[in-house]
Amino acid sequence: MVIVTKTTIAEEKLNMMMADFREKGLDIDLIRGKDSIVMGLVGDTHALDADRLLLDPDVERIMRVQEPFKKANRKFHPNNTVIEVGNAKIGDGKSFVVMAGPCSVESKNQILTVAKGVKKSGASFLRGGAYKPRTSPYSFQGLELEGLELLKEARNETNLPIVTEIMCPSLVETFNENVDIIQVGARNMQNFDLLKELGKIQKPILLKRGLSATIEEWLMSAEYIMAGGNHNVILCERGIRTFETYTRNTLDLSAVLAVKKMSHLPVVIDPSHSAGISWMVNPLSLAALAVGADGIIVEVHNDPKNALCDGAQSLDLSQYESLMTKLRAMSVHFGKEIK
Ligand code: PEP
Ligand code: MN
């Protein structure tokens, strides 16, 4: 951290400030300029409250040099985190995982049909929402516990591990017992009570980027989970809200590159919620492979026109099959393996 003060600061006050920083274990590089005094603080400054320091009328400016996330930071953990679930390795730089399934679990027939269909074309995971965060309280809210049971049935039938969204801290135990990867949706990225509870378990967490979250805010949410002791976090870029209205969201492909540089955590892309329109999903999935994502989570429905949620962005089973064919062909060029 760099603190810039006025040159008119009383010498005694400056010495007191420096003594306080030293007491906190920090070293100080002091530069006395013509117009200002610059203090370079060396050491762990995470506990310093920059806003409070700025209240001092002698302090002109504060610049943070270190990122506020530590456990998620590649600087302190240079090797990629690899999350293993069943046969899948997420984040090893060699595998491209595909999580596929409907937005919501709607019925036994629907989830089994989709699960068997995606399994046939090739998928590493079955996705499906049992608890749905809907904008309108009048929209289908999900089958809840019954949905979880149906997902488990689909897992038994296909051997595909399941990914499903949690919305509330009180369900962490249930999800921990029943689910293979717990999804935190965009709307709950900053539900800190939920993140803290998820930090207490060891189950992999798929953390979606918030609707308008910066990369740093997203990584700070990962930090919440990791600070509690759960280091199994997979980041998911699912498009952000911008001024553009043609697509449902704007897929921030460059965020994948940025996050890969800043963090050691695996990153997957959700092309479905990014686009909101099914015909864009396949090209965006190929872009995910090209940009170096560790996989995708994609919505697939046996009958998109009659889906209870997100039908417009859902692939049907034949579109999914063609996606997998293209992904497999392209994966060779990018040194990635799709199981
Ligand atoms: C979903 O995956 O169905 C979902 C609700 O996604 P998001 O949280 O990204 O909107
Ligand atoms: Mn959806």
Side-chain angles (χ1 to χ4, degrees):
M1 182 186 281
V2 176
I3 301 179
V4 182
T5 71
K6 293 176 181 160
T7 47
T8 49
I9 185 172
E11 201 58 29
E12 199 179 321
K13 182 171 169 187
L14 185 67
N15 286 335
M16 267 170 60
M17 271 174 97
M18 293 203 291
D20 186 40
F21 292 140
R22 286 198 184 98
E23 216 166 88
K24 293 190 164 93
L26 300 167
D27 290 329
I28 303 164
D29 283 335
L30 190 72
I31 304 166
R32 289 180 187 269
K34 197 157 68 69
D35 302 315
S36 49
I37 296 172
V38 178
M39 261 184 275
L41 304 187
V42 184
D44 186 359
T45 57
H46 283 86
L48 289 188
D49 184 345
D51 292 338
R52 217 164 54 98
L53 289 168
L54 263 178
L55 287 176
D56 187 323
D58 284 316
V59 173
E60 285 191 318
R61 229 154 33 107
I62 293 184
M63 286 156 280
R64 276 207 179 269
V65 181
Q66 288 170 347
E67 291 103 352
F69 48 95
K70 289 192 109 181
K71 294 195 157 53
N73 201 321
R74 200 181 271 284
K75 256 185 220 147
F76 310 114
H77 187 300
N79 296 333
N80 287 340
T81 283
V82 182
I83 294 176
E84 295 192 35
V85 184
N87 299 326
K89 288 195 174 125
I90 311 169
D92 66 354
K94 290 181 270 184
S95 317
F96 189 80
V97 299
V98 180
M99 306 172 183
C103 178
S104 316
V105 181
E106 298 172 8
S107 66
K108 182 168 170 168
N109 177 52
Q110 175 245 18
I111 193 65
L112 288 180
T113 309
V114 178
K116 286 176 189 162
V118 297
K119 167 88 179 185
K120 189 163 152 260
S121 304
S124 320
F125 291 88
L126 174 67
R127 67 145 287 156
Y131 292 83
K132 294 305 303 176
R134 303 306 299 276
T135 303
S136 166
Y138 309 117
S139 302
F140 175 59
Q141 302 287 307
L143 295 181
E144 304 186 339
L145 281 180
E146 187 195 338
L148 274 189
E149 288 307 314
L150 292 176
L151 279 170
K152 283 163 67 182
E153 231 178 291
R155 175 175 58 196
N156 282 344
E157 290 266 334
T158 57
N159 245 337
L160 291 175
I162 51 182
V163 186
T164 193
E165 177 168 355
I166 192 167
M167 298 208 291
C168 140
S170 63
L171 282 170
V172 169
E173 211 178 298
T174 308
F175 273 61
N176 194 24
E177 275 165 21
N178 293 292
V179 166
D180 301 293
I181 296 183
I182 303 178
Q183 176 177 330
V184 175
R187 289 154 194 82
N188 277 307
M189 187 203 85
Q190 286 189 319
N191 181 341
F192 299 118
D193 284 344
L194 178 61
L195 301 179
K196 282 182 200 165
E197 284 307 309
L198 293 170
K200 295 178 188 162
I201 58 176
Q202 287 304 309
K203 187 74 68 181
I205 310 297
L206 181 95
L207 178 67
K208 289 202 163 192
R209 183 177 181 182
L211 305 176
S212 302
T214 63
I215 292 172
E216 189 169 295
E217 285 164 344
W218 184 21
L219 288 171
M220 286 308 286
S221 290
E223 193 76 14
Y224 257 92
I225 300 169
M226 298 172 86
N230 185 354
H231 290 204
N232 300 313
V233 179
I234 304 157
L235 299 163
C236 175
E237 160 63 39
R238 45 79 73 201
I240 47 172
R241 186 164 284 192
T242 67
F243 52 84
E244 184 51 68
T245 54
Y246 188 86
T247 47
R248 183 173 180 181
N249 291 290
T250 298
L251 174 57
D252 186 2
L253 277 178
S254 49
V256 176
L257 297 168
V259 159
K260 282 267 168 208
K261 197 173 172 66
M262 294 158 84
S263 176
H264 50 87
L265 295 173
V267 191
V268 302
I269 282 181
D270 174 344
S272 311
H273 291 85
S274 299
I277 326 172
S278 61
W279 60 264
M280 284 192 185
V281 168
N282 287 5
L284 292 179
S285 302
L286 301 181
L289 176 64
V291 84
D294 296 296
I296 50 170
I297 176 163
V298 59
E299 288 186 342
V300 183
H301 199 283
N302 55 327
D303 181 12
K305 281 197 186 69
N306 291 305
L308 294 183
C309 184
D310 286 351
Q313 67 193 32
S314 299
L315 301 178
D316 63 25
L317 286 166
S318 81
Q319 289 167 322
Y320 180 71
E321 191 180 359
S322 112
L323 170 63
M324 291 310 291
T325 307
K326 286 192 190 128
L327 276 175
R328 275 187 218 291
M330 262 186 68
S331 62
V332 182
H333 300 287
F334 293 98
K336 291 270 172 90
E337 196 191 345
I338 301 178
K339 285 208 177 106

